[in-house]
Amino acid sequence: MNTDRTLRTFTDFFRERGHRLITGSTLLPPPSDPVLFTTSGMHPLTPYLLGRPHPQGRRLVNVQRCLRTTDLDEIGDSTHLTVFEMLGSWSLGDYGHSQSLRWGYELLRDGFGIPRGRMHATVFGGDDQVGPDTESLCTWRELGLPVELTREENWWDNGPVGPCGPDSEIFVWTGDSGTPPQGSPTTDPRWVEVWNHVLMRYHRHEDGSLEPLDRPSIDTGMGLERLVTVLQDRTSVYETDLFEPWTRLLPPLWDLDEPSMRLVCDHLRSSIVVLGDGVRPSNTGRGYVLRRLARRLLTTLWRDDPSRTLSDLPVELVEHTLDHFRQTGGSGPVREVLLDEERRFSTLLERGRRVLSRPEFQGPLSQEDYAYLHDTHGLPRDLVAGLLGP
Ligand code: SER
């Protein structure tokens, strides 16, 4: 099942069950939000999960693009992406957790064709503040799924304050089809988490106290790319149709090892989406995140061949990405900004090499040296560290 059909199957399933399809936001949260980028599907819905009535009703479904920089060091493995999409469904004070889990199971089995024998659930087993989630446990038992109880892994929050509650996660077995599933989600990594159903039942305050919400809600989130990887029976997200043009067009252009190729694909694709949402490189905030992505990918590209350039980036990749994320600004401006950033970075590196070759910078650098290089020559610390090598 390709990505487009996966998306449609998900949204149609919930629309047929009375959910309104809401347009996902861009990567930019509203100005009142302290966070730089939208980090999860529920993020733009936080006020509604805390009780404000949503103009489109109490049952919602959407597809939300998200950006997470917390996982930057994991980029290059087979599952983490900087920009990804989350499929989400919500019951804002409407149906309860059990109904959500039943629909989740039905969609995975009948809509996506995952046999029951390849699914495993986990449920919140209780801690010193909140009791075990017995309702979810009973639901999974009725449905005949194996269940594991955990504590921290089955508690969801989006930071120290805000809506939170116990969650129940659905895992799919990704071992060889000939191998019967073994172990459980906490003991065998071949169990891959695909869908998280959160019972948003509390509001956590600054002092750590939990206030029960007048109107508990259900918030579910499923990473699209991970689901597609499982459905297409691949071991890496880069082998799915989502990355098909990337894996077809980049290797003939740049001969990179596998982790480097993945990093370049991820960071280029993410930079295009961030640019498509109107962010421009700068030394602060969102623009700095974009600048770091561009510099990381250029550093990787230039590591064993400094003549590589983003002028060779096929326009098809920019267009494919903007189309997929329904961004309308056109590929021209995106390419121009990327090339401009490449020029700036290259100039900065040249300057850095020149300055660092001076005798006074041959030993280990002090804090004052770093401050001087930054303030007088505009050389950021991480760039200097990169030039000095390991
Ligand atoms: N809040 C949950 C998550 O981000 C489900 O949307 O995983």
Side-chain angles (χ1 to χ4, degrees):
M1 184 181 285
N2 68 20
T3 301
D4 282 346
R5 222 179 112 209
T6 306
L7 277 166
R8 250 196 334 273
T9 303
F10 182 85
T11 50
D12 285 353
F13 180 90
F14 282 100
R15 284 163 65 170
E16 283 157 16
R17 286 157 186 77
H19 294 64
R20 292 288 292 274
L21 178 63
I22 52 170
T23 318
S25 323
T26 70
L27 285 175
L28 280 44
S32 58
D33 198 311
V35 177
L36 290 179
F37 290 102
T38 301
T39 55
S40 67
M42 55 74 71
H43 186 160
L45 292 170
T46 307
Y48 309 104
L49 291 166
L50 286 173
R52 189 194 296 174
H54 193 284
Q56 290 188 267
R58 305 208 300 176
R59 294 184 182 197
L60 306 173
V61 57
N62 92 351
V63 182
Q64 174 64 51
R65 55 178 172 269
C66 308
L67 185 149
R68 285 189 193 168
T69 50
T70 39
D71 294 336
L72 266 197
D73 290 331
E74 322 251 10
I75 301 300
D77 73 6
S78 53
T79 55
H80 286 91
L81 294 173
T82 308
V83 166
F84 59 96
E85 287 174 282
M86 224 147 156
L87 306 168
S89 64
W90 292 273
S91 153
L92 300 175
D94 194 35
Y95 57 84
H97 213 191
S98 176
Q99 177 65 82
S100 181
L101 299 179
R102 285 172 197 280
W103 277 338
Y105 171 63
E106 185 185 335
L107 175 55
L108 291 178
R109 189 195 55 189
D110 303 341
F112 293 129
I114 301 173
R116 185 173 70 186
R118 282 181 60 203
M119 287 190 241
H120 202 306
T122 61
V123 161
F124 181 67
D127 61 17
D128 41 15
Q129 273 186 295
V130 177
D133 178 5
T134 43
E135 188 196 345
S136 300
L137 185 62
C138 292
T139 306
W140 288 128
R141 289 205 171 129
E142 272 171 39
L143 293 170
L145 244 62
V147 187
E148 184 172 34
L149 295 167
T150 85
R151 284 181 160 207
E152 289 85 18
E153 284 97 338
N154 284 101
W155 180 267
W156 199 90
D157 59 40
N158 202 14
V161 294
C164 56
D167 68 38
S168 183
E169 302 180 350
I170 311 173
F171 289 72
V172 176
W173 176 252
T174 60
D176 283 346
S177 41
T179 327
Q182 290 157 30
S184 69
T186 63
T187 62
D188 195 315
R190 288 173 292 181
W191 286 108
V192 169
E193 184 217 324
V194 293
W195 202 349
N196 190 7
H197 292 236
V198 186
L199 171 56
M200 292 290 188
R201 216 167 64 189
Y202 301 99
H203 186 176
R204 194 185 289 279
H205 295 286
E206 301 276 356
D207 64 0
S209 63
L210 288 177
E211 178 195 342
L213 291 167
D214 291 340
R215 192 209 62 180
S217 292
I218 305 294
D219 152 49
T220 86
M222 175 152 66
L224 173 68
E225 296 80 0
R226 192 178 296 177
L227 175 67
V228 165
T229 307
V230 167
L231 294 180
Q232 295 181 13
D233 207 10
R234 303 285 187 234
T235 49
S236 146
V237 62
Y238 298 95
E239 293 165 15
T240 65
D241 66 326
L242 212 52
F243 278 90
E244 187 282 323
W246 293 88
T247 48
R248 173 166 45 86
L249 295 170
L250 284 196
L253 198 60
W254 299 319
D255 180 21
L256 297 163
D257 60 42
E258 189 62 27
S260 305
M261 182 56 82
R262 289 174 177 178
L263 184 141
V264 168
C265 284
D266 171 84
H267 283 23
L268 266 172
R269 180 171 177 269
S270 303
S271 301
I272 295 168
V273 187
V274 174
L275 282 162
D277 273 348
V279 177
R280 292 295 174 263
S282 75
N283 286 333
T284 54
R286 297 183 181 117
Y288 185 60
V289 172
L290 173 59
R291 177 156 280 165
R292 273 185 69 204
L293 288 173
R295 289 183 176 181
R296 276 170 64 102
L297 82 89
L298 287 167
T299 305
T300 306
L301 266 190
W302 290 338
R303 198 158 42 217
D304 39 39
D305 183 356
S307 70
R308 289 175 180 145
T309 163
L310 296 180
S311 334
D312 294 331
L313 178 67
V315 76
E316 180 184 337
L317 294 180
V318 182
E319 281 167 357
H320 175 264
T321 307
L322 295 175
D323 279 355
H324 177 79
F325 287 92
R326 303 164 297 282
Q327 294 172 309
T328 52
S331 58
V334 169
R335 288 190 89 240
E336 262 169 47
V337 179
L338 285 174
L339 289 180
D340 184 51
E341 200 51 22
E342 176 179 286
R343 272 190 298 274
R344 281 168 190 268
F345 188 42
S346 163
T347 311
L348 197 63
L349 284 176
E350 267 171 46
R351 189 182 330 141
R353 283 196 196 95
R354 235 183 6 251
V355 175
L356 288 175
S357 68
R358 291 190 202 153
E360 65 263 36
F361 298 123
Q362 295 317 302
L365 300 189
S366 63
Q367 295 306 327
E368 289 75 37
D369 290 332
Y370 278 112
Y372 166 80
L373 290 166
H374 181 269
D375 298 345
T376 312
H377 296 284
L379 299 170
R381 193 186 177 102
D382 53 354
L383 182 130
V384 172
L387 285 173
L388 293 175

